[in-house]
Amino acid sequence: MTPADHTPTPSSDTERIARGLRGGDRIVLSRAITLIESKRADHRGSAAALMQALLPDTGKAVRVGITGAPGVGKSTLIDALGSMLTTNARKVAVLAVDPSSRRTGGSILADKTRMARLANEPNAFIRPSPSSGTLGGVAARTRETMLLCEVAGYDVVLVETIGVGQSEIAVADMTDFFLVLALPGAGDELQALKKGVVELADMIAVTKADGDNIARAKLAASQFSAALHILSPRSPHWSPPVVTCSALTGEGIEALWSHILDHRQRLTASGELAGHRGEQQVKWMWTMLEERLFEPLRSDRALKSSLPRIEADVAAGRLAPSAAVEKIAAMLARA
Ligand code: GDP
């Protein structure tokens, strides 16, 4: 048996979807996203076949991750940047990774009025975060949505995440460029940003640099700059710049985009972009496999109901952790 025996084969249905996507059909794009978000086993097979068929058409977009605390100005900036790009004949997709959206009953992007200008642009596609599941599951569906958008001709993909938990890492892992937004004058500038996030940053943009805020924004930028210099850069070809911008006045938005393009050009020339994407693909594979292997623990009724007892037995010292693992593994094999 060759490994190819298990490669999902496209059906006439997947070929029809693939054709629609390549033609940039938005309705087909929405349907394809619904398919990859579906948890039904038969849909999962079709989704994998679709992704396999589309593979040669993916990878064409500039993939940008954007993070920052609530209120920092993410949606306003995405609205301004996205509108500038669509004006320049770009097609822009805006996605989000927000695993907490189940708790709040909606998504950070559900309310498209937050990006009022962009929402009305025919060349923009705004999709809220998948609404439930683990971070790994939400990230996997967002990644595949990004690939579908690329096939549909979107040449810029902006992936937004709120600055909490591990979601920043998940977004940095699916994008080429990670943009961290920071507020001016939020006291101790370095404390305001989590160290781990600064390490992921390809650029820091101090937002709301307008009116009375300009001087404070410039000061914050110089402090961030000093902090970044202490860190060793992730790429020998890129030192993360610190910029100021205002989504309100538009000041600095063009420069922000120029930095992103400059980064792309340098890392393409050095071969790092391709290498980085290859590593990301392998990492996605393992994350998805992990999700898949753990799924019965979340969905199999018998397994799910026996886990709290096993945990309690382990905690109370009645069951050795290794014996518990054997027990769960045996149940998993039967699930
Ligand atoms: P998000 O939670 O990070 O998406 O932040 P929003 O984009 O919703 O912005 C939060 C608040 O900051 C809103 O009241 C915006 O009007 C305001 N805001 C966003 N960008 C700017 C800016 O460039 N300048 C000023 N002065 N206010 C801004």
Side-chain angles (χ1 to χ4, degrees), residues 234-238 266-277:
R234 283 195 296 161
S235 158
H237 302 101
W238 185 252
R266 286 170 191 243
L267 271 70
T268 302
S270 70
E272 280 170 282
L273 190 71
H276 187 219
R277 281 188 170 185

Side-chain angles (χ1 to χ4, degrees), residues 114 175 270 315:
R114 296 177 75 215
T175 49
S270 70

Side-chain angles (χ1 to χ4, degrees), residues 302-315 318:
L303 243 173
K304 221 166 116 185
S305 63
S306 50
L307 287 177
R309 191 171 29 79
I310 296 176
E311 264 192 354
D313 286 347
V314 171
R318 285 187 293 272

Side-chain angles (χ1 to χ4, degrees), residues 68-77 114 160 207-210 213 245-249:
V72 73
K74 289 181 295 299
S75 18
T76 315
L77 180 82
R114 296 177 75 215
E160 178 190 15
T207 55
K208 307 188 189 182
D210 45 51
N213 260 339
C245 65
S246 166
L248 215 61
T249 64

Side-chain angles (χ1 to χ4, degrees), residues 15-82:
E15 265 158 17
R16 197 171 36 77
I17 298 174
R19 259 199 315 280
L21 277 178
R22 290 186 192 112
D25 187 325
R26 289 172 75 105
I27 294 169
V28 174
L29 175 59
S30 294
R31 284 202 193 123
I33 295 172
T34 308
L35 175 71
I36 57 142
E37 287 182 350
S38 170
K39 292 192 174 111
R40 271 174 48 180
D42 56 331
H43 284 173
R44 203 156 54 191
S46 312
L50 180 66
M51 296 318 296
Q52 179 63 32
L54 295 174
L55 204 54
D57 305 292
T58 61
K60 291 171 193 148
V62 181
R63 303 168 176 174
V64 182
I66 300 178
T67 192
V72 73
K74 289 181 295 299
S75 18
T76 315
L77 180 82
I78 292 171
D79 199 33
L81 175 64

